[in-house]
Amino acid sequence: MKKFNFRKVLDGLTASSPGSGSSSGSNSGGAGSGSVHPGGTAGLPREEIQESLTSEYFQICKTVRHGFPYQPTALAFDPVQKILAIGTRTGAIRILGRPGVDCYCQHESGAAVLQLQFLINEGALVSASSDDTLHLWNLRQKRPAILHSLKFNRERITYCHLPFQSKWLYVGTERGNTHIVNIESFILSGYVIMWNKAIELSTKTHPGPVVHLSDSPRDEGKLLIGYENGTVVFWDLKSKRADLRVYYDEAIHSIDWHHEGKQFMCSHSDGSLTLWNLKSPSRPFQTTVPHGKSQREGRKSESCKPILKVEYKTCRNSEPFIIFSGGLSYDKACRRPSLTIMHGKAITVLEMDHPIVEFLTLCETPYPNEFQEPYAVAVLLEKDLIVVDLTQTNFPIFENPYPMDIHESPVTCTAYFADCPPDLILVLYSIGVKHKKQGYSNKEWPVSGGAWNLGAQTYPEIIITGHADGTIKFWDASAMTLQMLYKLKTSKVFEKQKAGDGKQTCEIVEEDPFAIQMIYWCPESRIFCVSGVSAYVIMYKFSRHEITAEIVSLEVRLQCDVEDIITPEPETSPPFPDLSSQLPPSRSLSGSTNTVSSEGVTKDSIPCLSVKTRPVRMPPGYQADLVIQLVWVDGEPPQQITSLAISSAYGIVAFGNCTGLVVVDFIQKTVLLSMGTIDLYRSSDLYQRQPRSPRKNRQFIADNFCMRGLSNFYPDLTKRIRTSYQSLTELNDSPVPLELERCKSPTSGLATRTPEAAPGFYRNEMPAVKQRSQVHHLPETRENSYNRSRSSSISSIDKDSKEAITALYFMESFARKNDSTISPCLFVGTSLGMVVLISLNLPSSDEQRFTEPVVVLPSGTFLSLKGAVLTFSCMDRSGSLMQPPYEVWRDPNNTDENEKTWKRKLVMNYSSSSQEMGDHQYTIICSEKQARVFSLPSQTCLYVHNITETSFILQADVVVMCNSACLACFCANGHIMIMSLPSLRPMLDVNYLPLTDMRIARTFCFTNEGQALYLVSPTEIQRLTYSQEMCDNIQDMLGDLFTPIETPEAQNRGFLKGLFGGSGQTFDREELFGEASAGKASRSLAQHIPGPGSIEGVKGAAGGVMGELTRARIALDERGQRLGELEEKTAGMMTSAEAFSKHAHELMLKYKDKKWYQF
């Protein structure tokens, strides 16, 4: 409430502040203060805009988590409810049901989950964690909550077992003892099976930890206890003694019963399986080593790898299934982890892509004393979840409906689009479904529990992920779900690296040459553009028709020359030189004489990758239209791309790095502009950089770290970051290594020699450019060890002299101060906080657009901010957000005659009737330190807000919420901040998430309708909302984990089986384990930590009045319990008094008639 009231006060203060007021300041939380400047000749245009957003519209709330649970450790399945639970090493639990039913919950301690046990068909789950604590979760609500916890103080938990329809949980410990816990009260029973009583007295060694607990299917009063050293004890719970003991030379890993309760099977550390009969426990009834080499009779079988788990499941009409993991021969070291299925005489080995963590056999019945009838096996791998169909002889796997393959290749970037065109999802799915894998089981996914409805908010949402292997995945994220629509492989554009090119490849990019660095997508025009770590840009167009065509490739020489300091000479060349001698010829990487790196040979004009020169077959979907590559310059590799933008309406793509800016016409396939950042200022360099001497050593040594895979992607990461899954999962914040500091570009100047431009293009040609620099000193201690200047991709920037292009934005705007009408413009933002407007002079007609050149000219307009520029946006005079113009999509490969005469249809998104002089447009610019709102064309700064002084902004976007625009920012100190537009009033400032690693910074993104996401782990995407309305409705959008289902009835055993098949007496665990007979457990053994209440209490606490009644009821129960204890003590005292009175009376009668001398 305090923070909510504070935001309301901010709203009132900002709204009532005078227009000419100005203030400055900051706070430690990351939110700065704003200052308002008068609007010059335009009066006070802010008074004309009534902002509808207030702080009550905003609240931060996590919504749903997608992907594979990171570092899984445990697996459980409810055969009646048909829901699956996965525990992880970080203390998380994911509960999965039918598609749409996906719940995430977290232990507050963060301790690893050791084991999970469902209370079958009860809507509850027991988790055992590595901090020796048991937790009882209530699943009868959409957000599971812990009801009780029990912390063991003196013993470590190793194994748990909960019999079906029982309220007593068996808990085995590392010391070999077995304790019993009441599930309803979560109180420890006084009944304990001590290890020294379970084993024989003659045994001199400790049996080891308890590795297995299970009650006999034949008699619930018998408990099978397995110890690590190979001892198995069959314990009679009633008589409190061991009925039989089994000893084996090899360690035991797991045990499973035959459903009749007469036999059980053990798996051992030598790769053997032993089958034991209760009638002859002296030796195994059968011993097999399934993957061992056959030996002669009398000789011991060859040892194999341990069988970590075995399950023995029977069938009514066929041989039993014996399923186990591990057990392969040691001489097959290269074989992958496997799951073996033995059915009769047939042995099937299923090789897995990843190590097996756990597996469970899914059976038709929950009763352990019936034929199990297995139909599937759920296998939890380190990085995947698969379910094998046991009903078919070839054992196919089920098609997984969950997005478990997000991490198939490490995610390197993300993009999020809410409320996109509704037809896109159907179109992408129709294309992507044709390329799905075949061979899946034809049966439905067996994990089908829970209930899910569509919810109120049903607007289309699409998530795009870029990966280290160059793949792009489009996901349908509508209605809190995630389903893959379409997969695009960008690496198919390039030639495969040959074995002989290994040395050269290593020098250019050590690993991951195709890693996706940035994504730009226009949903309306379906134009898609990506940039890769090897300094390339690929532009795709969408088509429903397959084509075979050559891929057009352009090579751009973007250079920073550092020569002797010479005063710039005036331009002597004509403004529009001939194109024929300007563009460098296209070269093949493998065929160039400069591709071989040897001593004394300097690489020059070579791209990092080689584009395919032969015609390429492109299936329907996104098809490569143009590839733009930066080339090596004088032995130096091209710097990675730091910003990317494309305009379908203009037919132009622009990108930049720490060297300069490149603008390309993708309609005519020509380079329009290629110049260094300093040349964008021309004579208006505001920083007045001082000359610096060039570095003498310009040789690019082989052992530096520039352009080496993803390690140069983020300068704060260490050398160990690689493409491999493990390396990317270990991303953390570490100081910049000395080698990485030395890997900065050897050129320290800012001079740029541009390649010759096309006719009609702006060309800046200078013999030399005077070198200037501005040194920014970085404090020694910075949060999370980041460099001072960062772009949205956190790329490597030479902070001593480089001024990188960090943001690009196409928009119809006022390029110059005195312009009266808007025109096509390109906003360019740099790492030093400078904004340059570039004017785009486009041909007037569609016919001329394909033949006439486009003129690109820096307009001479400069704006400045504090910190690297992150994002741009524009609003019209009424305060409505202006969308960049776009071209309506049409299929470029459609052979229909009507399509041939179809003209380009442009949507400009602005009113052309306004021709009067004055301020027609607001421009919002956000940097890593502050946000500013300028009025164009007057270029007056109307509002400025210093967002943070002690930290910096990682991600900023202008988004639409409730039909109004706002600025959303994610700060490096974990704060999420929302500001209204155009006044930049603070709406929300929440310390949401501390930045623990670079993964969050790389993938955090905002979108419209109050949505955001980030990669919370290498395998999971976390979605959140900052909308109060969505937070209020989140319960309606989530699925139900528990649905009322009747427990199936047990099969009729028949008269003879009931008479001879087992114990005819019913086993009363309450009588045996209850406090009346077993007593109370020691208080020092375990500590009970109460939750919010029982299951009924949680249901009652959902409402206000009912919650008060529930708390009153709990208080009365506690008072009654205390009164009961007092009554018991009083009764005990009365019994003692009566006994004392009786003894005194007897003593009095004895000595009543005796005389004094008889004593």
Side-chain angles (χ1 to χ4, degrees), residues 976-992:
I976 291 180
M977 291 160 283
I978 310 293
M979 285 150 281
S980 67
L981 292 176
S983 65
L984 297 177
R985 290 184 297 117
M987 297 284 102
L988 179 72
D989 183 4
V990 175
N991 188 3
Y992 169 75

Side-chain angles (χ1 to χ4, degrees), residues 3 49 101 114 370 373 411-412 422 466 474 487 515 572 576 583 637 673 684 691 755 844 874 897 930 938 999 1141 1146:
K3 182 173 289 186
I49 299 178
V101 179
L114 298 180
E370 298 178 357
E373 302 294 344
V411 178
T412 54
F474 292 78
K487 184 177 180 180
T572 57
F576 308 121
L583 293 179
L673 184 70
S684 302
S844 57
C874 291
E897 293 184 0
Q930 66 177 196
S938 66
R999 184 187 309 108
S1141 175
E1146 291 175 352

Side-chain angles (χ1 to χ4, degrees), residues 282-584:
S282 58
R283 62 177 183 176
F285 175 73
Q286 181 181 354
T287 302
T288 58
V289 182
H291 294 295
K293 294 181 179 179
S294 59
Q295 302 286 345
R296 294 180 181 177
E297 294 185 3
R299 296 184 60 183
K300 186 177 180 180
S301 299
E302 176 193 19
S303 295
C304 295
K305 297 177 182 178
I307 295 179
L308 301 179
K309 184 177 181 180
V310 63
E311 292 205 350
Y312 188 21
K313 303 301 179 184
T314 55
C315 301
R316 186 180 299 274
N317 300 320
S318 65
E319 296 291 330
F321 280 91
I322 300 174
I323 305 170
F324 61 89
S325 61
L328 295 179
S329 177
Y330 280 106
D331 62 355
K332 298 178 181 179
C334 297
R335 291 192 64 170
R336 296 182 292 180
S338 64
L339 183 78
T340 304
I341 302 175
M342 299 174 62
H343 189 211
K345 295 182 179 180
I347 300 179
T348 305
V349 179
L350 305 178
E351 292 189 344
M352 305 295 171
D353 294 331
H354 311 288
I356 297 175
V357 176
E358 176 69 287
F359 74 89
L360 289 174
T361 305
L362 311 187
C363 302
E364 296 288 352
T365 176
Y367 295 94
N369 57 355
E370 298 178 357
F371 283 100
Q372 298 299 290
E373 302 294 344
Y375 59 89
V377 180
V379 186
L380 178 63
L381 309 177
E382 278 191 0
K383 300 168 188 175
D384 201 0
L385 172 68
I386 65 172
V387 180
V388 182
D389 186 358
L390 295 179
T391 62
Q392 300 183 39
T393 55
N394 59 340
F395 302 128
I397 65 173
F398 290 89
E399 185 177 3
N400 197 328
Y402 314 125
M404 294 292 184
D405 57 346
I406 292 176
H407 62 287
E408 185 178 15
S409 175
V411 178
T412 54
C413 61
T414 58
Y416 192 8
F417 299 88
D419 202 12
C420 53
D423 61 328
L424 270 179
I425 292 179
L426 182 60
V427 169
L428 290 172
Y429 178 79
S430 63
I431 297 296
V433 74
K434 300 177 182 177
H435 305 285
K436 280 193 173 183
K437 296 179 181 179
Q438 304 297 324
Y440 291 111
S441 172
N442 54 9
K443 295 189 176 182
E444 293 185 359
W445 179 253
V447 185
S448 57
W452 177 76
N453 52 11
L454 198 59
Q457 296 178 340
T458 57
Y459 48 81
E461 299 176 71
I462 292 179
I463 295 174
I464 305 177
T465 56
H467 301 263
D469 63 351
T471 58
I472 302 288
K473 293 181 180 179
F474 292 78
W475 306 84
D476 177 13
S478 307
M480 293 293 176
T481 62
L482 193 68
Q483 186 73 31
M484 194 170 77
L485 297 172
Y486 174 69
K487 184 177 180 180
L488 174 66
K489 296 182 179 180
T490 62
S491 59
K492 290 186 176 181
V493 172
F494 303 100
E495 297 283 359
K496 294 182 179 179
Q497 298 293 332
K498 298 180 181 179
D501 296 337
K503 182 178 179 182
Q504 168 215 328
T505 304
C506 180
E507 290 179 355
I508 298 176
V509 177
E510 184 174 318
E511 291 182 2
D512 290 329
F514 309 114
I516 303 300
Q517 192 171 359
M518 303 186 74
I519 293 173
Y520 197 98
W521 188 43
C522 178
E524 291 79 11
S525 63
R526 302 184 188 177
I527 294 290
F528 185 64
C529 196
V530 299
S531 69
V533 73
S534 298
Y536 65 83
V537 172
I538 308 177
M539 199 214 72
Y540 290 88
K541 290 185 177 180
F542 188 84
S543 175
R544 292 177 175 170
H545 303 278
E546 179 180 320
I547 62 169
T548 300
E550 293 187 1
I551 302 173
V552 180
S553 174
L554 295 177
E555 296 177 3
V556 180
R557 185 182 178 92
L558 193 58
Q559 179 180 1
C560 274
D561 281 341
V562 182
E563 308 294 345
D564 294 335
I565 306 304
I566 304 174
T567 304
E569 298 292 337
E571 297 184 16
T572 57
S573 59
F576 308 121
D578 185 22
L579 174 65
S580 59
S581 62
Q582 307 307 326
L583 293 179

Side-chain angles (χ1 to χ4, degrees), residues 214-220 224 255-265 275-276 278 311-322 363 365-374 1051-1053 1057 1061-1062:
S214 61
D215 54 341
S216 170
R218 191 179 185 186
D219 187 356
E220 295 178 350
L224 193 70
I255 304 175
D256 199 20
W257 280 101
H258 188 280
H259 82 277
E260 293 180 349
K262 299 177 182 179
Q263 297 176 343
F264 60 88
M265 182 175 289
L275 184 63
W276 299 82
L278 296 181
E311 292 205 350
Y312 188 21
K313 303 301 179 184
T314 55
C315 301
R316 186 180 299 274
N317 300 320
S318 65
E319 296 291 330
F321 280 91
I322 300 174
C363 302
T365 176
Y367 295 94
N369 57 355
E370 298 178 357
F371 283 100
Q372 298 299 290
E373 302 294 344
Q1051 295 178 3
N1052 188 0
R1053 303 183 65 189
K1057 281 194 174 182

Side-chain angles (χ1 to χ4, degrees), residues 693-699 746 748:
S693 299
R695 300 181 185 179
K696 296 180 180 180
N697 184 13
R698 295 177 54 85
Q699 182 66 27
S748 58

Side-chain angles (χ1 to χ4, degrees), residues 56 127 139 159 194 215 260 453 614 632 696 764 1013:
E56 285 80 5
S127 63
L139 305 184
Y159 195 87
M194 305 299 291
D215 54 341
E260 293 180 349
N453 52 11
R614 62 184 182 278
W632 286 65
K696 296 180 180 180
N764 180 30
L1013 66 81

